[in-house]
Amino acid sequence: MVVGQETHPGAGAGAVPPEFRDAVATMHTARLRPEVLCEEMPAPQRIAPYASALSADVTIDDTDVGTGRIILLHDPAGNDAWEGTFRCVAYARADVDLEQAVDPMLAAVGWSWLTEALDAHGASYAAISGTVTRVSTESFGGMADEGGTAQIEIRASWTPLPPEDAPALAPLDVAPHVEAWGELLCTAVGLPPVPEGVAVMPSRRGQRGSGR
């Protein structure tokens, strides 16, 4: 993913700690599918002293079918709820069929999309939590011909951990977590998995809205 590094220190934060700067740099090495159009976005200012964020749309045939964001938070003093000094916060929303929206297993399946993507990309984590919400809309009266729509929304946070074999002083590699988030977006919109052995091209920045 070719993007420039940009961090957004929270209110009252001083100089950006090198461990956060290095972790943000690894976010920008994530390789996402070409359907995932990713770019930087302003990060929230009050959740943690330091934060950096990415947003993405999943586009198929020039139509946006899913959207999401991932935020990397850092508190050098640590956070008991996080069980560490870093935290990933992710959001994904995608259109689903109305039949899927009423499936009682949809929430559990949606959550498994995230955990399986994290495991598949070798993204070690702790203290994961989140919610899965289904939203359906029905039209009536003069709008009855428009039919109904449904979406699934997945919100989650987890503490990214270094792999067990990582060198002691190596920067935290967040790229696998970003790639898992990208896979979550693609799975949610119904894209088939990339066949084994097929290279995933880096996502390009600044393409949202092009060619439309």
Side-chain angles (χ1 to χ4, degrees):
M1 178 171 50
V2 183
V3 296
Q5 179 174 332
E6 181 180 358
T7 59
H8 298 272
V16 177
E19 62 268 24
F20 178 68
R21 183 180 62 247
D22 292 344
V24 171
T26 68
M27 291 178 72
H28 299 158
T29 66
R31 300 177 70 84
L32 304 176
R33 292 175 59 153
E35 296 93 344
V36 181
L37 307 181
C38 187
E39 63 184 8
E40 289 173 309
M41 64 173 285
Q45 300 293 299
R46 298 180 181 179
I47 302 178
Y50 303 93
S52 187
L54 300 171
S55 66
D57 287 335
V58 183
T59 303
I60 301 175
D61 296 330
D62 291 333
T63 300
D64 290 341
V65 293
T67 188
R69 58 182 176 269
I70 186 167
I71 305 165
L72 179 65
L73 305 175
H74 178 53
D75 186 343
N79 185 306
D80 291 342
W82 297 358
E83 301 179 15
T85 60
F86 285 91
R87 191 74 170 170
C88 289
V89 179
Y91 169 76
R93 187 184 73 223
D95 295 333
V96 296
D97 294 335
L98 288 172
E99 292 78 7
Q100 287 181 283
V102 299
D103 186 339
M105 293 299 297
L106 179 62
V109 170
W111 186 253
S112 73
W113 293 339
L114 171 62
T115 57
E116 290 174 3
L118 288 167
D119 293 341
H121 287 271
S124 300
Y125 60 90
I128 191 169
S129 62
T131 62
V132 179
T133 304
R134 69 192 84 191
V135 181
S136 60
T137 302
E138 294 186 49
S139 301
F140 299 93
M143 300 176 62
D145 291 342
E146 297 183 9
T149 61
Q151 296 84 33
I152 184 173
E153 296 182 351
I154 302 166
R155 301 175 185 268
S157 65
W158 63 89
T159 298
L161 301 175
E164 294 183 358
D165 58 351
L169 299 179
L172 178 66
D173 187 2
V174 189
H177 300 267
V178 176
E179 291 169 355
W181 163 71
E183 182 175 325
L184 167 65
L185 288 169
C186 292
T187 303
V189 302
L191 284 173
V194 175
E196 186 175 353
V198 175
V200 176
M201 299 300 293
S203 176
R204 292 176 295 172
R205 184 185 181 193
Q207 298 299 308
R208 184 175 288 118
S210 63
R212 302 183 196 172

